[in-house]
Amino acid sequence: MAEWVTGEVVHVEHWTESLFSLIVHAPVSPFTAGQYAKLGLEIEGERIQRAYSYVNAPRNENLEFYLVTVPEGKLSPPLHNLQAGDNLMITKDAAGFFVLDEIPECETLWMLATGTALGPYISILQQGEGLGRFKHIVLVHAVRFARDLSYLPQMLELQQHYNGKLQVQTVVSREEVPGSLTGRVPALIADGSLEAAVGLRLDAETGHVMLCGNPQMVRDTQQLLKDSRDMRKHLRRKPGHMTSEHYW
């Protein structure tokens, strides 16, 4: 059974009317970049909890979570209303296998995310450990509107930090934005637009794909890569080319 500890909110960053980040201080156990914790609040005598990936590097004591408010949700609206000084509950131990140790050797690591599922990639890239074995890293963040690219400045700083190893590509589905591709990730892979934009081939021979975010995007992309690129899901007992994280 999970052990819960009390965390204190030290900052809330409101990116849009629905997107926000929580910075929390809490006595959690060490975790691995890419893992998640559960956040919880006592609401009407019941602990409501959900899993959220750490955005911060494990060495950073400022625990950061990137969230979207679901209007009809039980937890995200109350989390959205938290202010500095408020408390919440957090699981002491992190969980999840969406970490670099689970990724097999490859030349190009593709990190594909929609919305707030960008979090684990930011954590992995900020930590920086274990990335030396990849020649190229491609970080793709897909959102509906340009205003939803909350972490774009940080992504571009990371791109500069990695000095050519990391390429950042944004995707906006509902408007045209300079520098961003327009459409859905599976379609942009199918028609070659994503590969053309970053100048790299996405195939089973050289690449491994990490997928995190909207379940439909994950399923559609997996099916496309299976059918057109001969890529299969990665399992410990049967190494493959695609690793995914699912929250809902």
Side-chain angles (χ1 to χ4, degrees), residues 41-48 74 78:
L41 290 172
E42 293 289 336
I43 300 174
E44 297 180 354
E46 178 185 2
R47 179 184 292 154
I48 307 299
K74 289 185 177 181

Side-chain angles (χ1 to χ4, degrees), residues 113-154:
T114 59
T116 57
L118 177 70
Y121 300 132
I122 297 294
S123 179
I124 290 168
L125 290 167
Q126 286 190 115
Q127 186 70 1
E129 297 175 356
L131 294 172
R133 60 192 175 103
F134 307 111
K135 183 177 180 180
H136 306 289
I137 304 169
V138 180
L139 175 61
V140 177
H141 189 205
V143 298
R144 293 179 179 182
F145 301 98
R147 64 176 179 269
D148 301 329
L149 295 168
S150 312
Y151 283 83
L152 182 56
Q154 194 165 352

Side-chain angles (χ1 to χ4, degrees), residues 55-74:
V55 178
N56 59 292
R59 61 175 175 268
N60 190 340
E61 66 177 10
N62 291 321
L63 309 179
E64 185 170 356
F65 302 92
Y66 184 32
L67 301 86
V68 61
T69 302
V70 180
E72 66 275 15
K74 289 185 177 181

Side-chain angles (χ1 to χ4, degrees), residues 30-44:
F31 67 94
T32 302
Q35 289 191 305
Y36 63 85
K38 289 184 178 179
L39 303 182
L41 290 172
E42 293 289 336
I43 300 174
E44 297 180 354

Side-chain angles (χ1 to χ4, degrees), residues 177-238:
V177 180
S180 294
L181 295 173
T182 306
R184 295 184 66 246
V185 169
L188 294 169
I189 295 174
D191 68 10
S193 297
L194 178 57
E195 291 159 294
V198 300
L200 293 167
R201 177 71 179 161
L202 201 173
D203 58 28
E205 184 177 345
T206 62
H208 190 93
V209 180
M210 299 179 75
L211 293 155
C212 191
N214 182 287
Q216 193 65 53
M217 182 279 287
V218 173
R219 287 192 295 269
D220 289 350
T221 302
Q222 287 175 330
Q223 192 63 50
L224 171 71
L225 294 176
K226 177 183 177 182
D227 294 343
S228 65
R229 309 297 170 95
D230 198 29
M231 301 177 87
R232 62 179 180 272
K233 291 182 181 180
H234 177 65
L235 304 170
R236 283 183 174 179
R237 63 183 181 275
K238 188 177 181 182

